Amino acid sequence: MRLLFLGDMVGKTGRTAVWDRLPGLVSDLKLDFVIVNGENAAGGFGITEDIFLETINAGADVVTTGNHVWDQKDAVAFAGRHDQFLRPANYPQGTPGRGSGLFYARSGARVLVANIMGRVFMHPELDDPFKSAEAILDACPLKEQADAIIFDFHAEATSEKQCFGHFVDGRASFVVGTHTHVPTADHQILNGGTAYMSDAGMCGDYDSSLGMDKEEPLNRFISKMPKGRMEAATGPATICGVGVEISDSTGLAEKIAPLRIGPRLSETIPEFWR
């Protein structure tokens, strides 16, 4: 199975770049399943129902989120209406929406996708992410109820991300980090066969501060005083993500490589998909 994960869409420039390029990527790379993190898609803060639906229409099978999931007021209302929209699974019981789901790839494979949020340097501090993941894996084990299992681990600390990867190694197909908006160079297959990358990066303008116009965050670092609102940068976007090939027989990863398309970072498409 060929799976593509795209990192956090940031603002209009990030989401429109994904919408423009994703249909061609699905076709040209013969993708079986696509996941996109959309928690910063609406002006850099949260996501609206219209943006979610447009992302699905462009070819995403699931949209994940993170700590900004509720920044747009209508998210609470629409979260429960769409199975393909995921908020972190370790929110307390009774939170609107769902944190994981079983979906079908274009190949017919059963794909479990779970959105988990870390706790180190994160706000709000949610329930234990490791216990939440254990409950999800117990309910839907790899190669029993699911042919592939993917975790979007939305967290700040790379140590927490790496430990989470080792925690589910051999029991999940792929663990990918989101939230920091900077693509890491540690894509690998762990000892037990789980593909791992600490952060997929963002889909947004990299002439920025994490996708936001750089003037206001730079001012706040220098003066310690806000001058205005944080605004999403509007320059040309670079699409960042990661591609994984998953064995149909074992549900574990066989190949992993970053995908980057755009003006700022060195462009790369996984060689095994060319």
Side-chain angles (χ1 to χ4, degrees), residues 48-192:
T48 66
E49 187 171 22
D50 287 344
I51 291 172
F52 161 74
L53 291 172
E54 192 71 31
T55 306
I56 294 296
N57 290 336
D61 295 286
V62 176
V63 174
T64 55
T65 56
N67 58 302
H68 288 292
V69 60
W70 310 124
D71 283 5
Q72 299 296 318
K73 60 183 180 180
D74 68 334
V76 173
F78 81 76
R81 291 201 290 264
H82 302 286
D83 290 346
Q84 293 164 287
F85 179 80
L86 299 183
R87 47 82 176 161
N90 49 332
Y91 265 98
Q93 187 174 2
T95 302
R98 61 202 305 227
S100 63
L102 191 64
F103 308 93
Y104 285 91
R106 294 166 186 83
S107 62
R110 301 163 300 172
V111 183
L112 174 66
V113 183
N115 196 178
I116 301 280
M117 197 163 99
R119 297 203 292 186
V120 179
F121 308 129
M122 295 293 287
H123 180 79
E125 186 173 311
L126 302 186
D127 296 341
D128 187 336
F130 295 87
K131 288 184 178 179
S132 295
E134 191 70 58
I136 290 168
L137 292 170
D138 285 346
C140 192
L142 185 62
K143 297 312 296 179
E144 293 183 25
Q145 279 78 38
D147 299 305
I149 297 176
I150 291 84
F151 283 97
D152 173 349
F153 193 71
H154 197 80
E156 182 77 26
T158 50
S159 58
E160 187 180 22
K161 292 178 178 182
Q162 289 176 347
C163 284
F164 184 86
H166 293 303
F167 179 69
V168 301
D169 187 20
R171 299 187 291 164
S173 311
F174 179 34
V175 173
V176 59
T178 54
H179 179 67
T180 61
H181 294 199
V182 178
T184 55
D186 62 340
H187 55 280
Q188 59 182 296
I189 297 177
L190 302 177
N191 292 339

Side-chain angles (χ1 to χ4, degrees), residues 202-256:
M202 70 172 181
C203 299
D205 178 7
Y206 277 80
D207 183 19
S208 67
S209 174
L210 306 182
M212 308 304 287
D213 184 271
K214 57 195 173 189
E215 295 306 321
E216 180 57 19
L218 181 59
N219 160 69
R220 294 187 189 188
F221 277 115
I222 294 171
S223 71
K224 312 303 179 185
M225 294 287 292
K227 285 185 178 179
R229 294 180 58 190
M230 295 280 196
E231 302 282 350
T234 58
T238 297
I239 295 172
C240 281
V242 56
V244 179
E245 281 202 357
I246 298 169
S247 168
D248 294 332
S249 60
T250 67
L252 296 172
E254 295 181 324
K255 299 174 183 177
I256 179 172

